[in-house]
Amino acid sequence: MSLLELDDLHYGYPGQPRLALQGVNLSLPAGVKVALLGRNGSGKSTLILHCNGILQPNRGVVRFAGRTVTYQRAALLELRRQVGVIFQNPDDQLFSASVAQDISFGPLNLGLNQTDTRRRVQAVAELCEITDLLERPTHALSGGEKARVALAGVLAMEPALLIADEVTANLDPWMRRQLFTIFQRLVAQGKTIVLATHDVEFARYWADMVVVMEAGRVIAADTPERIFANQSLMVQTGLGQPWYLPFAHA
Ligand SMILES: Nc1ncnc2c1ncn2[C@@H]1O[C@H](COP(=O)(O)OP(=O)(O)OP(=O)(O)O)[C@@H](O)[C@H]1O
Ligand SMILES: [Mg+2]
């Protein structure tokens, strides 16, 4: 059975003439590592915001664990307990005064007591290497520090499906590697991970499944081997060309 199913999703931002999603179909099994690729503006972030009900489609449905997502408050809270999203811009995510408060917010909201919450915060802070930042105000952090705090906040919820929107973009090579390790550990626990990225090499190396978007649609979803062997797809999307090639031949 699919963990997440998107069925014919259409979505237009208010006041925009062109639909951001123009009939997205996608089915993700549980326990896989998914890389979501696509050019700027192809609809990756918009798709992601539909996965935990932040955006509601104009047409089509989202199904999680076999159930059609509905948009009442209680149902959304339950969905967000299962589907954790790390936003493309961490400033959209972090709103508490301190890092510790920010990471505590999710677990407290789930009904955990202070002691258990503190334990979870401590554990995810160690994992994301932000223990020394816990008492800092969230607004006074570097981009990569914010990304790590946002990641910790979502990990503290222990979601079944973790979706990260270009989180690697802000991370240094050391932290990227750390993230990779964290993801491996989560997948070993049976979790499912979706990572939107422009890092084609990372996708090729890391993912079990590559999903390619173009102009508001999913145009391909397959193993990295098959996706990257598809010459016409590579040409159409520009994914197969290392960016430095024209210069190397100059
Ligand atoms: N808040 C918004 N209001 C209006 N239009 C938006 C908004 N956010 C995105 N769009 C538009 O919706 C389309 C899809 O954008 P989206 O952010 O989903 O793309 P993306 O694939 O995540 O791009 P990127 O790689 O640059 O992050 C684009 O045409 C974009 O201009
Ligand atoms: Mg985006």
Side-chain angles (χ1 to χ4, degrees):
M1 190 186 69
S2 299
L3 182 67
L4 181 79
E5 253 179 291
L6 309 178
D7 187 1
D8 196 33
L9 287 193
H10 288 70
Y11 181 78
Y13 286 97
Q16 297 294 315
R18 201 174 64 88
L19 290 180
L21 299 184
Q22 310 195 11
V24 166
N25 292 297
L26 182 64
S27 170
L28 299 182
V32 290
K33 294 174 285 185
V34 181
L36 179 58
L37 303 180
R39 295 185 56 184
N40 292 133
S42 58
K44 301 180 297 296
S45 296
T46 308
L47 181 156
I48 288 170
L49 294 175
H50 280 79
C51 295
N52 72 346
I54 291 175
L55 293 179
Q56 185 170 354
N58 303 134
R59 203 169 98 199
V61 292
V62 179
R63 271 184 227 101
F64 183 76
R67 276 210 232 149
T68 300
V69 169
T70 57
Y71 296 86
Q72 299 83 16
R73 199 181 135 72
L76 282 180
L77 277 178
E78 182 53 33
L79 178 69
R80 287 175 196 162
R81 175 195 298 240
Q82 307 273 357
V83 183
V85 170
I86 303 167
F87 296 136
Q88 183 160 9
N89 178 359
D91 288 329
D92 293 339
Q93 192 127 27
L94 308 175
F95 49 86
S96 302
S98 81
V99 168
Q101 280 172 7
D102 216 286
I103 303 171
S104 307
F105 181 81
L108 286 175
N109 231 11
L110 291 181
L112 265 71
N113 64 33
Q114 293 286 350
T115 314
D116 290 342
T117 297
R118 211 168 304 127
R119 207 171 289 147
R120 267 202 205 181
V121 170
Q122 209 57 44
V124 294
E126 272 167 37
L127 204 59
C128 300
E129 299 184 12
I130 50 168
T131 308
D132 54 337
L133 302 179
L134 283 174
E135 299 315 317
R136 295 268 298 276
T138 48
H139 63 85
L141 300 172
S142 79
E145 287 167 349
K146 282 182 186 170
R148 277 144 60 186
V149 172
L151 172 67
V154 172
L155 290 178
M157 305 276 288
E158 300 187 348
L161 169 61
L162 174 73
I163 309 181
D165 197 349
E166 279 175 49
V167 70
T168 53
N170 265 321
L171 300 177
D172 64 41
W174 167 268
M175 204 51 223
R176 254 186 230 207
R177 197 175 284 266
Q178 176 70 1
L179 186 75
F180 182 76
T181 312
I182 293 170
F183 284 176
Q184 289 300 103
R185 207 173 301 173
L186 293 174
V187 168
Q189 294 168 8
K191 313 255 178 179
T192 307
I193 300 177
V194 176
L195 182 67
T197 182
H198 292 295
D199 190 337
V200 176
E201 288 313 312
F202 185 84
R204 190 199 293 262
Y205 172 59
W206 173 78
D208 303 316
M209 179 176 177
V210 174
V211 174
V212 184
M213 288 195 76
E214 190 169 85
R217 289 195 183 88
V218 168
I219 59 164
D222 211 331
T223 61
E225 292 75 21
R226 281 204 282 265
I227 290 282
F228 292 107
N230 183 337
Q231 281 308 318
S232 61
L233 181 70
M234 291 299 100
V235 171
Q236 181 187 348
T237 55
L239 288 172
Q241 296 149 350
W243 64 269
Y244 51 81
L245 215 55
F247 304 103
H249 286 284

